Amino acid sequence: MCGRFVIAKTTDLITEYFEVDEAPEQDFRSYNIAPTIEVPIIVEREVDGLPSREIHAARWGLIPSWAKSPGASPLINARIESVLEKPSFKEAALAKRCAIPADGYFEWQSTVPNSKVPYYIFPSDGMLAFAGIYWWWRDPSKLASDPARWVLTCSLLTKDSAPELAGIHDRNPVLLSEENLSAWLAPDYPTTPEVLAALSEESALVAAQLEFHPVSSAVGSVYNNSEELIARI
């Protein structure tokens, strides 16, 4: 489970770090990104026969093609074990792969009875890349001539927690290394169970290098958004 994360870097710095070729002039910075907020997703497509990495703004909370409305419970996370089977995700999971950049994420401790302590989990250097999937949803309430009828949406994948993070929560986001980032974004193959198994295994190695510390419960309110949210308490 991951319900809050942080983007502290500018779009220009994200573009440089992930070697992105094209990005919008949009500031995604926030210390308290919550479901339904627009987040940057990194995708790869072929342009003039060459691969091109692009950043697009997407609503965090995938909306499947058959949905008549966004729904009351945003589909922000997709379990890697069942993403190719669940009706809400399988169409996107087969080919609509993306990466979601982040400086870190928050998780509320679930392994200690009655604990509600939030933790900030982050790399000692650089940025994280969550493995994600995306989908263009057509809003049936809008006219065919309305460009806003198409809504780009996304979910991030989760897996059983790496041993180093298991004391906080039993799930963690699927994390992409530099090597498997390129493989995950490549648009020229379908997602298979074997691909997901390898991705999960590699994610555990990335997770083992992360740092974490407890933070203020103020992160629980979407109205709070400052650097103080990631400070150790």
Side-chain angles (χ1 to χ4, degrees), residues 14-128:
I14 296 172
T15 297
E16 180 180 351
Y17 186 82
F18 290 102
E19 300 181 339
V20 170
D21 301 297
E22 185 176 330
E25 294 183 2
Q26 183 170 344
D27 190 352
F28 296 100
R29 284 178 292 179
S30 173
Y31 286 94
N32 199 357
I33 294 173
T36 75
I37 296 290
E38 274 200 338
V39 299
I41 64 170
I42 303 171
V43 300
E44 186 174 294
R45 67 189 187 96
E46 191 173 290
V47 177
D48 297 328
L50 297 173
S52 175
R53 281 189 188 176
E54 302 174 354
I55 289 178
H56 295 272
R59 175 190 186 272
W60 185 24
L62 189 140
I63 309 174
S65 58
W66 43 263
K68 298 186 183 302
S69 69
S73 300
L75 301 174
I76 60 172
N77 296 161
R79 297 173 70 94
I80 196 171
E81 301 90 344
S82 58
V83 70
L84 289 174
E85 302 165 6
K86 293 291 186 182
S88 296
F89 299 121
K90 64 180 182 180
E91 194 172 11
L94 279 173
K96 304 298 186 183
R97 298 181 294 269
C98 67
I100 303 168
D103 285 271
Y105 70 98
F106 299 102
E107 195 60 84
W108 278 257
Q109 190 172 42
S110 65
T111 57
V112 176
N114 302 317
S115 174
K116 295 184 179 179
V117 177
Y119 281 76
Y120 181 54
I121 303 169
F122 59 99
S124 60
D125 184 50
M127 295 190 74
L128 298 175

Side-chain angles (χ1 to χ4, degrees), residues 29-33 218 221-229:
R29 284 178 292 179
S30 173
Y31 286 94
N32 199 357
I33 294 173
S221 171
V222 296
Y223 298 106
N224 296 323
N225 190 350
S226 71
E227 191 172 2
E228 293 178 357
L229 295 180

Side-chain angles (χ1 to χ4, degrees), residues 105 119-122 164-168 207 210-214 232:
Y105 70 98
Y119 281 76
Y120 181 54
I121 303 169
F122 59 99
E164 292 78 7
L165 302 178
I168 301 174
L210 298 183
E211 300 182 8
F212 53 85
H213 56 239
R232 179 191 292 270

Side-chain angles (χ1 to χ4, degrees), residues 90-179:
K90 64 180 182 180
E91 194 172 11
L94 279 173
K96 304 298 186 183
R97 298 181 294 269
C98 67
I100 303 168
D103 285 271
Y105 70 98
F106 299 102
E107 195 60 84
W108 278 257
Q109 190 172 42
S110 65
T111 57
V112 176
N114 302 317
S115 174
K116 295 184 179 179
V117 177
Y119 281 76
Y120 181 54
I121 303 169
F122 59 99
S124 60
D125 184 50
M127 295 190 74
L128 298 175
F130 303 138
I133 57 175
Y134 69 94
W135 193 255
W136 283 99
W137 175 67
R138 181 172 177 173
D139 187 342
S141 70
K142 291 183 167 55
L143 296 175
S145 58
D146 186 349
R149 72 190 185 280
W150 291 105
V151 182
L152 182 58
T153 67
C154 68
S155 292
L156 61 88
L157 301 185
T158 67
K159 64 180 294 293
D160 285 339
S161 189
E164 292 78 7
L165 302 178
I168 301 174
H169 200 276
D170 61 355
R171 306 284 296 178
N172 65 248
V174 175
L175 304 167
L176 297 166
S177 67
E178 183 177 347
E179 293 76 17

Side-chain angles (χ1 to χ4, degrees), residues 93-95 97 186-192 195:
L94 279 173
R97 298 181 294 269
D188 55 354
Y189 69 92
T191 308
T192 64
V195 166

